[in-house]
Amino acid sequence: CGVYLRDPREVSQARVASISIKPTFHRHYSAETKQSFEQKIVVKSTAFWVDAPKYMLLHQGGRGFSIEVDPSSLDSGVHYAEVQGHDSTDLGKGALFRVPVTAIVPEKPQDKEG
């Protein structure tokens, strides 16, 4: 799962991508615990060219959100970023989820002088 842009049309303008996050539970969790699950998430992007919401509320059934990816100002080459979700009560715990975002910007053809 993630966002992968490589076509020249895809990397020449901003695009909106839909992301879905669904929690997984260990088998020993009761149905009641799963149903009452609610997690406040701080959402962060690791690159200026990926815009994500600042917060989301994740529940047992999962949650979707949109990100905007704008690789139009990037130099040619391969660019990688992540959208990360962190527990709002313990940011030091590390990312609860990571969504990879890859943009491959082709080189622009150069004019040949004859």
Side-chain angles (χ1 to χ4, degrees):
C1 145
V3 179
Y4 185 72
L5 305 174
R6 67 177 183 184
D7 186 272
R9 289 173 296 184
E10 294 174 329
V11 297
S12 64
Q13 60 188 347
R15 296 214 173 265
V16 174
S18 297
I19 306 297
S20 294
I21 304 296
K22 187 169 182 179
T24 55
F25 299 93
H26 292 282
R27 283 181 262 161
H28 70 275
Y29 282 101
S30 69
E32 293 170 353
T33 301
K34 292 177 186 177
Q35 286 179 337
S36 65
F37 174 78
E38 191 172 87
Q39 180 86 46
K40 293 175 186 163
I41 305 289
V42 174
V43 182
K44 296 180 179 181
S45 167
T46 62
F48 73 90
W49 49 277
V50 179
D51 189 32
K54 293 182 194 252
Y55 305 99
M56 69 178 279
L57 185 61
L58 184 61
H59 52 79
Q60 180 264 344
R63 184 60 152 231
F65 60 92
S66 295
I67 63 171
E68 183 174 327
V69 181
D70 187 359
S72 62
S73 66
L74 299 175
D75 292 333
S76 61
V78 178
H79 303 272
Y80 178 81
E82 289 181 341
V83 175
Q84 301 175 349
H86 298 266
D87 181 346
S88 66
T89 63
D90 188 359
L91 297 175
K93 190 175 4 181
L96 299 174
F97 65 81
R98 299 171 191 269
V99 179
V101 181
T102 303
I104 300 176
V105 180
E107 290 188 23
K108 293 179 177 56
Q110 295 181 2
D111 291 333
K112 292 185 177 183
E113 294 183 21

